[in-house]
Amino acid sequence: MAAVAESDSVLAPGRRSRLLMDCLAVLRAAHRPERAAQIGMKEFRQGLRGPLGPLLPPASGRPDRFDSMELFDTQGLARDAVQDLCSEHLVPQAALEQHWPWARVRAEQEEQRLFGLMRRLAPEDYRRARALLGTHAAGSVRELSRQWDRLWMRFDFFETVADWPWCQVDGWWYPCPVCRWPMRAVRRGAQFDVRCEAHAPRGVHYRYTPSKGPGPGELTGTGKAAGPVTPLPASSDHLAASRPVWRYGTLPVLLELQLRDAVVDLPYVDLVMWPGEQRPDEYDLHITVAVPGKSKRHWRVDAKAWESVVALGKALTNRPALRKGLTIVLPDHQHSERHFLAAQVRDRGVKVTTVSRLVSDIEKACGGLR
């Protein structure tokens, strides 16, 4: 990515500098602190022009070393090998052509990998796996393997909760009552704040007081949605989906299931979940309301659970293919931000709403009947 930015003669200098700083930060993070401090922008740009060995961190015994690789040809242009290397590491072609920031590339990598695994499934298994991402993203190995059943060995995105110190308090972890994923624990003096990073705005947060004896301490709800939570041991037999899978798989599915449950029993409603398994990035639900004597109403819904509506707007704006008539649905707690996003995508023929607002629109289309 740095090589492409460096070799683009028409790229604005200010943007080139930002991109190179972005890539330099990633490179520094791969080195030990004492070595990272020695790599400034000058050393970085000079290193890009020769064999990569001096820039790379030590990694003896690895088969995919690139020490002798050179990124530029004799005319100063990025070599074809740069494109091949990016393709092999799931960097979208558009990322190079449009000079995406590194954070977006990482997000696209993880989302592509997740849906790449999902697309290999038969349609029935695809839909089942999507639902399981929302309902069983963490738990004991025994429970997860039972729920995922024959799909269990198809995926490798579960990690051991014991390796995640950020969610542990006195050897225990607490699943969010909404998404079941581990909640974050932050020390506040003698106590801990325990909250779900995604659902804290809905009131999923607690205060933990350590126990004076063996066993977990006391978890007291401090938010309106702080339902009962059962502490689980932070042991090697408890797993959770990786953070990218939770962010790009679990959270959107929860929105989709919430919407499904709210409208599936309405009269005149026909609902199909994940109708386009061959193109999972197109939309997630197809809702049709067919009231006798009236024209049919259709909603093609794409649920989005991004933390930043600004970043979501940029991602949608840069997406080359965006289906006309698509309805982007946000969580209810982002209702005040929907106007900003709507303005970003208005010229793409896309509407923006929230779960509750869409449910209300569908109820009205059904004649207000339940």
Side-chain angles (χ1 to χ4, degrees):
M1 291 175 60
V4 172
E6 182 80 349
S7 63
D8 190 340
S9 60
V10 299
L11 186 62
R15 191 173 184 199
R16 177 183 292 107
S17 297
R18 290 193 296 272
L19 291 165
L20 291 175
M21 285 297 296
D22 196 20
C23 293
L24 175 57
V26 175
L27 176 65
R28 280 176 162 174
H31 284 278
R32 293 183 179 276
E34 57 273 15
R35 172 56 180 151
Q38 299 172 354
I39 309 176
M41 182 56 70
K42 177 182 178 181
E43 291 76 18
F44 181 41
R45 297 183 75 171
Q46 288 178 345
L48 289 173
R49 295 290 173 175
L52 290 181
L55 283 181
L56 298 179
S60 60
R62 288 188 56 178
D64 57 346
R65 293 293 292 170
F66 304 107
D67 298 72
S68 60
M69 182 178 183
E70 296 190 19
L71 301 177
F72 297 93
D73 60 20
T74 55
Q75 283 75 42
L77 301 177
R79 294 180 181 272
D80 292 341
V82 173
Q83 302 276 356
D84 296 336
L85 189 62
C86 288
S87 298
E88 292 169 6
H89 286 267
L90 295 180
V91 178
Q93 177 69 25
L96 302 179
E97 296 173 350
Q98 302 170 15
H99 303 292
W100 290 2
W102 182 255
R104 183 182 176 193
V105 171
R106 290 295 298 159
E108 291 280 336
Q109 285 175 334
E110 296 297 344
E111 196 168 12
Q112 281 190 37
R113 180 173 180 271
L114 172 61
F115 284 117
L117 291 170
M118 304 280 280
R119 278 194 294 266
R120 299 172 191 170
L121 302 174
E124 180 183 353
D125 287 339
Y126 172 89
R127 294 187 175 91
R128 184 162 178 264
R130 287 287 294 263
L132 286 167
L133 280 176
T135 57
H136 291 83
S140 68
V141 174
R142 181 176 181 180
E143 176 66 12
L144 290 172
S145 60
R146 184 177 69 84
Q147 292 293 337
W148 285 78
D149 195 25
R150 65 181 184 275
L151 297 175
W152 179 241
M153 301 305 294
R154 300 290 298 272
F155 302 106
D156 62 352
F157 48 62
F158 282 95
E159 301 177 6
T160 305
V161 176
D163 294 334
W164 294 357
W166 53 266
C167 67
Q168 300 175 30
V169 188
D170 297 331
W172 300 86
W173 67 279
Y174 294 84
C176 168
V178 178
C179 63
R180 310 300 299 170
W181 204 66
M183 292 190 286
R184 181 174 293 276
V186 180
R187 181 181 289 277
R188 305 292 186 196
Q191 299 177 326
F192 285 84
D193 285 344
V194 179
R195 61 179 57 219
C196 176
E197 296 180 57
H199 298 108
R202 291 173 52 179
V204 181
H205 45 85
Y206 305 80
R207 180 166 291 112
Y208 176 91
T209 304
S211 172
K212 296 181 179 179
E218 181 181 359
L219 198 66
T220 304
T222 56
K224 62 181 180 180
V229 176
T230 302
L232 298 172
S235 58
S236 59
D237 62 349
H238 282 79
L239 307 178
S242 67
R243 182 184 181 86
V245 170
W246 170 72
R247 169 58 66 185
Y248 302 114
T250 299
L251 296 183
V253 167
L254 285 174
L255 285 182
E256 296 153 17
L257 296 179
Q258 180 186 355
L259 183 56
R260 178 201 65 184
D261 294 343
V263 304
V264 69
D265 292 329
L266 290 172
Y268 315 121
V269 167
D270 178 61
L271 184 148
V272 179
M273 297 289 292
W274 308 301
E277 59 270 3
Q278 297 306 314
R279 290 194 60 191
D281 58 336
E282 191 169 30
Y283 62 97
D284 307 308
L285 295 90
H286 190 180
I287 302 171
T288 303
V289 174
V291 179
K294 295 184 178 181
S295 300
K296 289 185 178 181
R297 295 282 305 278
H298 296 274
W299 288 267
R300 293 176 175 85
V301 178
D302 189 8
K304 296 296 184 184
W306 288 49
E307 182 68 24
S308 170
V309 173
V310 175
L312 174 58
K314 290 181 179 179
L316 293 174
T317 301
N318 292 331
R319 186 184 292 184
L322 205 57
R323 187 185 184 99
K324 293 290 185 180
L326 192 67
T327 299
I328 302 292
V329 174
L330 304 177
D332 285 339
H333 73 267
Q334 292 180 324
H335 67 93
S336 61
E337 301 172 80
R338 71 185 188 282
H339 297 299
F340 170 83
L341 184 60
Q344 295 288 98
V345 297
R346 184 175 292 120
D347 61 344
R348 307 292 298 276
V350 174
K351 297 180 180 179
V352 179
T353 187
T354 61
V355 172
S356 294
R357 287 175 176 273
L358 180 58
V359 170
S360 178
D361 289 344
I362 294 172
E363 288 177 341
K364 291 177 182 177
C366 294
L369 300 175
R370 270 202 174 273

